Amino acid sequence: NAGVTQTPKFQVLKTGQSMTLQCAQDMNHEYMSWYRQDPGMGLRLIHYSVGAGITDQGEVPNGYNVSRSTTEDFPLRLLSAAPSQTSVYFCASSYLAGGPTTGELFFGEGSRLTVL
Amino acid sequence: GNSVTQMEGPVTLSEEAFLTINCTYTATGYPSLFWYVQYPGEGLQLLLKATKADDKGSNKGFEATYRKETTSFHLEKGSVQVSDSAVYFCALRGGADGLTFGKGTHLIIQP
């Protein structure tokens, strides 16, 4: 079972460059989300989606864009990277209702981004 | 809004010691509560969960009880092993927006 797949695992950017972090899940989850993890800060929600065509902002959305054109995919775009966006990014998905795993987030392995 | 507070550590214990990691929360309504574990270089894995008051979640010798009266979900294990060394996150989910995490507790178990 693939679960939640993130690419790339590592990326180095220069300030001002753009890039897209890819996320795909094969569990038919309605909900998908992006978190960033920084030392001493825990995980903070960037954006999330409750279904195809629906996205919303989380706690720290500035500098990031998302779209959800299919149930499976939820890419995260950095339009103009800044050093403050150096972090580890996690994609996570879940069912929204029904079943024993409702509410439980399934995480990808993470993408480590460095912005110089 | 929702928030989760947990002891940040690092917490250093000897093998076979008793473990408690405290977690308290603030939330409206009746959230579900979770403990996730992160091993070095990996993503987060669900350790255990509880969806209503007085539920006890358990897995791999770890336990936590959903205490609504004290808004707590403390993680316990009777005898820790070196392989339990990791970062542990307490989290809650109150709605469709996602999980609210504590800052994580780094646990170090010495042989």
Side-chain angles (χ1 to χ4, degrees), chain B residues 17-106:
Chain B
F18 185 86
L19 169 70
T20 299
I21 301 177
N22 290 337
C23 172
T24 57
Y25 67 90
T26 302
T28 55
Y30 302 93
S32 295
L33 301 175
F34 303 85
W35 277 100
Y36 279 82
V37 59
Q38 184 179 34
Y39 299 102
E42 298 184 9
L44 278 73
Q45 306 172 25
L46 179 69
L47 181 59
L48 53 84
K49 68 178 182 182
T51 57
K52 61 182 187 297
D54 299 325
D55 269 1
K56 177 186 284 188
S58 61
N59 186 26
K60 299 181 181 178
F62 291 90
E63 294 182 341
T65 301
Y66 189 166
R67 301 289 188 198
K68 188 172 183 295
E69 64 275 14
T70 55
T71 60
S72 65
F73 193 53
H74 305 320
L75 183 67
E76 297 182 335
K77 186 174 185 182
S79 177
V80 293
Q81 306 300 313
V82 172
S83 58
D84 293 327
S85 298
V87 181
Y88 293 81
F89 291 92
C90 185
L92 69 84
R93 188 163 195 179
D97 56 344
L99 292 182
T100 299
F101 285 90
K103 293 185 178 181
T105 301
H106 186 195

Side-chain angles (χ1 to χ4, degrees), chain A residues 70-85:
Chain A
T70 67
T71 301
E72 294 78 20
D73 301 300
F74 191 47
L76 179 71
R77 297 183 185 85
L78 285 71
L79 298 180
S80 178
S84 60
Q85 294 178 303

Side-chain angles (χ1 to χ4, degrees), chain A residues 5-113:
Chain A
T5 303
Q6 290 182 233
T7 56
K9 287 187 168 42
F10 300 94
Q11 184 72 50
V12 178
L13 291 178
K14 295 180 180 178
T15 297
Q17 287 185 318
S18 63
M19 76 156 300
T20 299
L21 298 176
Q22 301 291 344
C23 176
Q25 53 92 8
D26 62 357
M27 296 173 281
N28 205 28
H29 286 165
E30 303 97 339
Y31 174 90
M32 296 186 74
S33 58
W34 279 100
Y35 288 83
R36 60 177 290 173
Q37 181 179 23
D38 302 292
M41 300 294 291
L43 281 85
R44 294 179 292 170
L45 182 63
I46 303 171
H47 285 286
Y48 67 97
S49 168
V50 297
I54 306 169
T55 63
D56 209 342
Q57 296 181 352
E59 182 184 354
V60 288
N62 292 340
Y64 307 95
N65 280 352
V66 293
S67 61
R68 182 98 179 266
S69 56
T70 67
T71 301
E72 294 78 20
D73 301 300
F74 191 47
L76 179 71
R77 297 183 185 85
L78 285 71
L79 298 180
S80 178
S84 60
Q85 294 178 303
T86 294
S87 186
V88 181
Y89 293 84
F90 288 98
C91 181
S93 67
S94 78
Y95 291 114
L96 280 177
T101 68
T102 296
E104 172 189 340
L105 281 184
F106 292 78
F107 283 83
E109 293 185 350
S111 299
R112 184 175 295 274
L113 175 67

